[in-house]
């Protein structure tokens, strides 16, 4: 870095299957801190049966972040570190909900720094969303529970239309 101050480009990676109000809260706060923020959807071959396709996840994120001129949505395959290098990004942003999140995130942060020399900065998700995760939202929704407080309206509409298409309702 040679003491050079950069106008930081941050990357906020995740599965976003689907994006929740917790994710949107982190995006809103990161967008106020960093001049450029790329929200990066991972194409994760290990997660065999995602609820939403990559295109749908990107589209939901685009619609939910359209008010921020400095936020862009993209995706990556493989290592986050390679994507960070490709974009010449300066920092990785992650949200922490509960202390136990930190356990695995600390290892990821060390590994990503070792691979790229790029640091990870953590924002604490608003306590209102400390129990909100994409997997819990899907589980509750698919069994008929009301998740409208935990996802943006546009995401709820995508979820309802997906459920109709899958004939689950
Ligand atoms: O929303 P998630 O599923 O908690 O996000 C996890 C994510 C995408 C940040 C993490 O799985 C990731 O970085 N995957 C890319 C593969 C990779 O780089 N693995 C090594 C991490 S040090």
């Amino acid at each position: 870095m040679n003491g050079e101050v950069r106008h930081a480009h941050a990357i906020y990676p995740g599965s976003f299957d689907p994006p929740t109000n917790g994710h949107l809260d982190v995006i809103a706060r990161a967008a106020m801190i960093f001049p450029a923020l790329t929200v990066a959807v991972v194409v994760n071959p290990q997660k065999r049966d995602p609820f939403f396709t990559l295109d749908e996840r990107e589209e939901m994120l685009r619609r939910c972040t359209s008010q921020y001129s400095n936020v862009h949505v993209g995706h990556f395959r493989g290592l986050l570190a390679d994507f960070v290098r490709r974009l010449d990004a300066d920092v990785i942003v992650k949200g922490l909900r509960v202390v136990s999140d930190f356990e695995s995130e600390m290892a990821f942060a060390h590994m990503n720094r070792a691979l790229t020399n790029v640091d990870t900065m953590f924002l604490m998700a608003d306590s209102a969303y400390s129990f909100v995760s994409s997997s819990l939202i899907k589980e509750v929704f698919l069994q008929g529970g009301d998740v409208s407080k935990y996802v943006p309206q546009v995401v709820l509409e995508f979820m309802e239309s997906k459920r109709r298409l899958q004939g689950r309702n």
Side-chain angles (χ1 to χ4, degrees):
M1 271 271 204
N2 300 327
E4 172 200 3
V5 176
R6 297 183 51 150
H7 297 286
H9 174 189
I11 292 188
Y12 176 39
S15 303
F16 305 109
D17 186 33
T20 67
N21 285 343
H23 293 128
L24 269 297
D25 173 57
V26 170
I27 291 170
R29 286 189 284 133
M32 291 206 307
I33 298 169
F34 301 106
L37 177 69
T38 298
V39 181
V41 183
V42 68
V43 183
N44 190 345
Q46 269 132 31
K47 290 195 182 164
R48 287 266 161 95
D49 192 19
F51 191 55
F52 287 108
T53 65
L54 172 64
D55 284 351
E56 289 166 335
R57 286 180 273 159
E58 285 191 284
E59 181 60 23
M60 285 186 279
L61 283 165
R62 266 190 213 105
R63 293 209 205 164
C64 296
T65 59
S66 57
Q67 68 271 42
Y68 308 112
S69 58
N70 59 334
V71 174
H72 297 94
V73 177
H75 66 265
F76 68 101
R77 290 185 166 72
L79 282 181
L80 173 61
D82 290 335
F83 186 66
V84 166
R85 253 197 300 259
R86 215 174 320 133
L87 262 60
D88 194 24
D90 304 291
V91 63
I92 297 164
V93 171
K94 294 273 188 87
L96 292 176
R97 291 166 300 187
V98 287
V99 174
S100 56
D101 281 351
F102 192 61
E103 183 106 23
S104 50
E105 288 298 345
M106 195 170 169
F108 291 161
H110 279 303
M111 180 55 83
N112 282 321
R113 187 153 193 274
L115 293 170
T116 61
N117 206 28
V118 164
D119 272 301
T120 299
M121 296 185 73
F122 295 102
L123 291 176
M124 270 166 284
D126 191 294
S127 58
Y129 308 119
S130 63
F131 59 93
V132 176
S133 67
S134 299
S135 46
L136 191 54
I137 293 295
K138 280 180 287 194
E139 184 179 338
V140 171
F141 175 78
L142 288 174
Q143 298 190 55
D146 178 7
V147 296
S148 57
K149 276 196 279 199
Y150 309 116
V151 293
Q153 178 62 28
V154 60
V155 170
L156 193 61
E157 286 162 17
F158 267 71
M159 293 179 84
E160 283 164 352
S161 117
K162 176 70 76 177
R163 183 167 58 186
R164 274 195 301 276
L165 276 174
Q166 292 184 345
R168 298 203 217 195
N169 191 15

